[in-house]
Amino acid sequence: MKSILEHINLPNDLKSLKVKDLEQLAVELREFIIDIVSVKEGHLGASLGVVELTIALHYVFNTPIDKLIWDVGHQAYGHKILTGRKDVFDTNRQFGGISGFPKMQESEYDAFGTGHSSTSISALLGMALAAQLQGKFQRQHIAVIGDASIASGMAFEGLNHAGVTNANILVVLNDNAMGIDPSVGALKKYLTNVKTGTAKEENIFECLNFHYTGPDDGHDLPNLVQQLERLQKIEGPKLLHVITTKGKGLQKAEENQVTYHAPGKFDKQTGELQKKTNLAQPPKFQDVFGKTLVELALKNEKIVGITPAMPTGSSLKFMMEAIPERAFDVGIAEQHAVTLAAGMATDGLVVFCNIYSTFLQRAYDQVIHDVAIQNLPVIFCLDRAGLVGEDGPTHHGVFDISYLRCIPNLLIFSPLNEIELRNIMYTAQLGLEHPIAIRYPRGRGNLINWQASMEKLTIGKGQVLKEGNKIAILTTGPIGNMASELIAELNQNNAIAHYNFPFIKPLDSVLLQEILQKFEHIITIEDGSAIGGFGSAVLDFANNIGINKIIKIFGIPDAFITHGATEKLYKKSGIDKMSVKKYVQEFL
């Protein structure tokens, strides 16, 4: 059969096709996505699930004049392929290639950047109201949002406002009962009842003044085209409810939707995942957290765990399986997660609130107002701290030290390795006088034998990893292991000293004063923002005690770091081993 996709480069190319041809295009588009992602990796299931919807939207609407927002953006691969990026799609998420999420700077067809969820309705309403003010009354505005994302507070804020306007917006609810993990909450139950015809007579979206259509089959292309053409003519806020299957078209992805959200490399014919090495490897930090939490919770009945929609990604799933009544997935609701944790802490529970570093930014007020001001000993476990690789600037957890260090009452800890992570978790659940943020990176640690018995740590204590007499290297977190390798490679005997500061707040003031008095030249290294980070804290301390020394800070520069393999991003940021090595060699 003659290929259709090879002749489609922009949405206008779709307009010449007959509706019956679109179904063949859907087959080809699915195959194209599977071909590339099976080799290059990336998000898979979400984009496979919206292939028909993607084609129908670009077929009916006049993008990019009509504004189309994808929420969350990992479902937008088909959109990217149909909007001028087909020939470079194999660079998706690669260093120097296209972004894995919609990005305004990348294409005029990407109406809004969406790396975090639940922003589309607010942004879209802003565009629609701006269009009214500027007399662009014919312009259409469409948001595609999942059932997990629409349950977030911000999405409801957008719906609530949109319902009292006559803004020309269409919200397409892509209902597949999945986020990354299965959707949770009362709204999910309501949508299930809508699908089965057992919902109460009142429709929640109609009550919010939306013209509601659905639920419709999101894989029925002729019907989708027909409904979108009809809705295009209706003024005011509208909602089209479509039912889709995440991973549609690849059997393994349909059967195991959590794994195939972002499966890594796989066989494009069978869907079988590429086999992992049988060699013993250090564990992922998230698994150290998850397994240690269960170990502690089985002995301490006051321990509870909370995650906003990331039980698999955070490994809270281990506690949800072992002690389900004490582990809570609250959905995509970071603000709620933090204040829920605060409420539990008031009643004496030991709360481990696990949120990705980049997502805690969404609950900053709650961290300050509901936890820190009231000095409630919530234990924040910040997964994916530092540079996270291919997900790029929306997901890098590089600001947490800076935005948390200025908050009174809050302790900050960054473990050097898996054993330090276990020890701080053990220490925290024994009882702290203050809340604490424990930050650790994505991916594996560096210890095979990590399940040692746990020890209580002294709050605010650093340690000497290597004595020296010329240069002092101060590190916090796992990047300290890179510094140890560097010092061994330089082989300068006693020239270089190395100190580990797992407590960024409070700093070990006694140890730091000794270092500042002994060494003329001090280097700090961190995988967070250089502005306001660990190095800044050392500089502040030196200034406050009146010591004037050369303190060189290696941290993330004042820029949003792109996507790509982590080692390339370290080099781009100037915090890789060779950059530090060159600096040290020049000094020596």
Side-chain angles (χ1 to χ4, degrees), residues 370-412:
D370 299 336
V371 176
I373 287 177
Q374 303 185 102
N375 201 24
L376 294 168
V378 173
I379 304 159
F380 293 107
C381 295
L382 306 190
D383 200 337
R384 273 65 166 177
L387 293 168
V388 298
E390 289 80 1
D391 281 340
T394 57
H395 283 60
H396 294 320
V398 297
F399 304 116
D400 50 18
I401 298 174
S402 302
Y403 72 67
L404 294 174
R405 194 168 71 82
C406 59
I407 301 176
N409 287 338
L410 185 65
L411 312 179
I412 308 172

Side-chain angles (χ1 to χ4, degrees), residues 207-485:
C207 291
L208 290 167
N209 292 330
F210 276 74
H211 176 96
Y212 174 86
T213 300
D216 280 16
D217 181 353
H219 302 298
D220 182 345
L221 248 169
N223 181 61
L224 283 175
V225 170
Q226 186 180 348
Q227 292 286 28
L228 291 172
E229 287 176 340
R230 180 181 64 83
L231 289 166
Q232 195 177 26
K233 299 178 179 71
I234 296 173
E235 293 183 358
K238 306 165 285 285
L239 188 138
L240 173 62
H241 183 182
V242 298
I243 311 301
T244 63
T245 301
K246 189 170 182 178
K248 177 77 172 175
L250 185 66
Q251 187 177 348
K252 291 279 187 186
E254 292 185 35
E255 292 170 349
N256 193 342
Q257 295 176 336
V258 174
T259 298
Y260 283 81
H261 173 76
K265 291 184 173 71
F266 62 94
D267 185 301
K268 65 182 181 183
Q269 303 297 337
T270 66
E272 290 288 344
L273 299 180
Q274 192 174 87
K275 285 190 166 53
K276 302 281 195 293
T277 177
N278 290 325
L279 296 173
Q281 291 181 290
K284 292 180 179 178
F285 272 97
Q286 68 183 63
D287 290 343
V288 175
F289 159 78
K291 291 175 180 178
T292 302
L293 186 62
V294 173
E295 191 178 334
L296 294 169
L298 290 172
K299 295 176 182 176
N300 183 347
E301 62 184 18
K302 289 189 174 183
I303 289 176
V304 293
I306 297 172
T307 178
M310 302 302 291
T312 300
S314 71
S315 290
L316 190 69
K317 64 178 182 181
F318 296 130
M319 188 171 178
M320 294 177 83
E321 291 163 1
I323 321 170
E325 68 278 8
R326 285 159 55 194
F328 302 89
D329 177 359
V330 301
I332 301 175
E334 292 85 3
Q335 296 176 52
H336 168 59
V338 171
T339 305
L340 177 73
M344 288 178 158
T346 64
D347 249 5
L349 295 184
V350 177
V351 189
F352 285 81
C353 185
N354 187 297
I355 302 181
Y356 288 10
S357 168
T358 182
F359 295 147
L360 187 66
Q361 295 161 187
R362 311 186 99 185
Y364 191 54
D365 178 71
Q366 286 71 24
V367 172
I368 295 173
H369 194 271
D370 299 336
V371 176
I373 287 177
Q374 303 185 102
N375 201 24
L376 294 168
V378 173
I379 304 159
F380 293 107
C381 295
L382 306 190
D383 200 337
R384 273 65 166 177
L387 293 168
V388 298
E390 289 80 1
D391 281 340
T394 57
H395 283 60
H396 294 320
V398 297
F399 304 116
D400 50 18
I401 298 174
S402 302
Y403 72 67
L404 294 174
R405 194 168 71 82
C406 59
I407 301 176
N409 287 338
L410 185 65
L411 312 179
I412 308 172
F413 186 94
S414 187
L416 176 70
N417 53 36
E418 302 92 312
I419 289 173
E420 279 198 348
L421 175 56
R422 281 168 59 78
N423 285 342
I424 192 61
M425 290 176 67
Y426 172 74
T427 304
Q429 58 89 42
L430 291 175
L432 293 175
E433 295 178 4
H434 304 285
I436 186 170
I438 305 167
R439 70 184 302 269
Y440 48 90
R442 181 183 187 183
R444 297 188 182 278
N446 65 333
L447 301 176
I448 299 293
N449 300 314
W450 57 276
Q451 287 179 298
S453 58
M454 290 173 269
E455 299 174 4
K456 184 178 180 181
L457 300 178
T458 302
I459 301 299
K461 193 73 177 159
Q463 62 249 159
V464 184
L465 297 182
K466 183 186 174 297
E467 297 282 4
N469 52 37
K470 283 189 178 178
I471 297 178
I473 295 180
L474 283 53
T475 61
T476 185
I479 204 167
N481 297 299
M482 179 271 282
S484 293
E485 292 172 13

